[in-house]
Amino acid sequence: MKIAVGCDHGGYELKNLIISYLVGEKVEVVDTGCYSEDSVDYPDFANKVCQNVRSGEYDFGILICGTGIGMSIAANRYREIRAALCHEAFTARMSREHNNANILCIGGRVIGTEVALDIVRVWIHTQFAGGRHQRRLDLLS
Ligand code: RB5
């Protein structure tokens, strides 16, 4: 599994923790920045991760900003992207199982580290259920 991970300054600390977790899980990760807590603009980093996923080079993306909202708005501008903003494990699981989300968005200022890592763990281990859910996704295009 290959995952592109990006953040803005509001998600910088959590991004580093998530990358460490993913590497420990033997996931191939690209860190598309940002690389410090200096203020940056989240659309720039959402675009990088989306490009990695849209091109097929990476299977999934994870985007972290302060609330996760800006990242999810930016990512969902792309037709091929289904970005899910999740603050707990149940919606994370559903976003994969029912929505085939290919980008996970998290608010680094909203949830704690353990909840965030739980979300990531559930998200990367849940498969899309297909069937009626694929029919619904087809209606979106
Ligand atoms: C940055 O201050 C903050 O606005 C950003 O991280 C994010 O929460 C936007 O949605």
Side-chain angles (χ1 to χ4, degrees), residues 36-122:
S36 77
E37 288 187 325
D38 294 346
S39 182
V40 292
D41 299 322
Y42 61 81
D44 293 337
F45 298 90
N47 289 339
K48 289 183 193 193
V49 165
C50 287
Q51 188 46 38
N52 279 310
V53 174
R54 293 170 73 219
S55 69
E57 195 177 346
Y58 284 80
D59 304 304
F60 298 110
I62 297 178
L63 287 166
I64 310 118
C65 63
T67 59
I69 295 171
M71 288 297 198
S72 62
I73 290 171
N76 278 314
R77 293 174 69 86
Y78 293 102
R79 192 174 168 279
E80 309 85 350
I81 297 298
R82 294 171 301 280
L85 172 57
C86 300
H87 291 144
E88 34 64 43
F90 177 72
T91 45
R93 180 159 64 84
M94 287 298 109
S95 78
R96 287 288 307 122
E97 207 172 298
H98 288 193
N99 310 112
N100 200 14
N102 52 9
I103 294 203
L104 170 65
C105 300
I106 298 177
R109 295 172 178 160
V110 180
I111 55 172
T113 304
E114 292 308 319
V115 172
L117 294 181
D118 192 36
I119 287 168
V120 172
R121 181 181 58 76
V122 165

Side-chain angles (χ1 to χ4, degrees), residues 7-18 36-37 64 113:
C7 69
D8 74 354
H9 51 289
Y12 175 72
E13 196 179 335
L14 182 56
K15 180 200 69 173
N16 291 336
L17 292 168
I18 288 174
S36 77
E37 288 187 325
I64 310 118
T113 304

